[in-house]
Amino acid sequence: MLTVLILIVLAAIVLILILLAVVVVGIRQEPRSAELSDVARGPITGLVRRLTGLSVRRPTPTVVHDRGQGEGNPAGPAPRPRTTT
């Protein structure tokens, strides 16, 4: 029983060390002085970005209104009044 417990703990430690090595390799593949691009350089880099929470999302596209339609103010919508409750 003790042998099985020791083997499970050692297997967990090995898995954690492998995951740490993958993270280190992925971080080293990123350029040091440049900004993060929206596309990862490789699958390991993409996995590391997801694991560390550093994934870059593409900006949401904005809706372009045709000025000929006469919809709203071209400067943008009017701010909504704040209400207190």
Side-chain angles (χ1 to χ4, degrees):
M1 184 68 180
L2 183 61
T3 306
V4 173
L5 182 64
I6 291 173
L7 287 176
I8 291 173
V9 169
L10 287 176
I13 290 172
V14 167
L15 286 174
I16 290 172
L17 288 176
I18 290 172
L19 182 65
L20 180 64
V22 168
V23 168
V24 168
V25 167
I27 289 173
R28 292 201 179 256
Q29 288 180 354
E30 290 288 345
R32 293 178 189 249
S33 61
E35 292 182 8
L36 288 176
S37 64
D38 55 342
V39 178
R41 297 180 113 187
I44 293 176
T45 308
L47 176 69
V48 169
R49 284 185 182 186
R50 283 288 185 195
L51 287 174
T52 57
L54 295 175
S55 59
V56 179
R57 296 183 181 180
R58 294 181 183 186
T60 56
T62 57
V63 178
V64 177
H65 293 288
D66 186 16
R67 290 185 184 211
Q69 292 178 350
E71 291 183 13
N73 185 357
R80 297 172 69 186
R82 293 186 180 182
T83 59
T84 56
T85 56

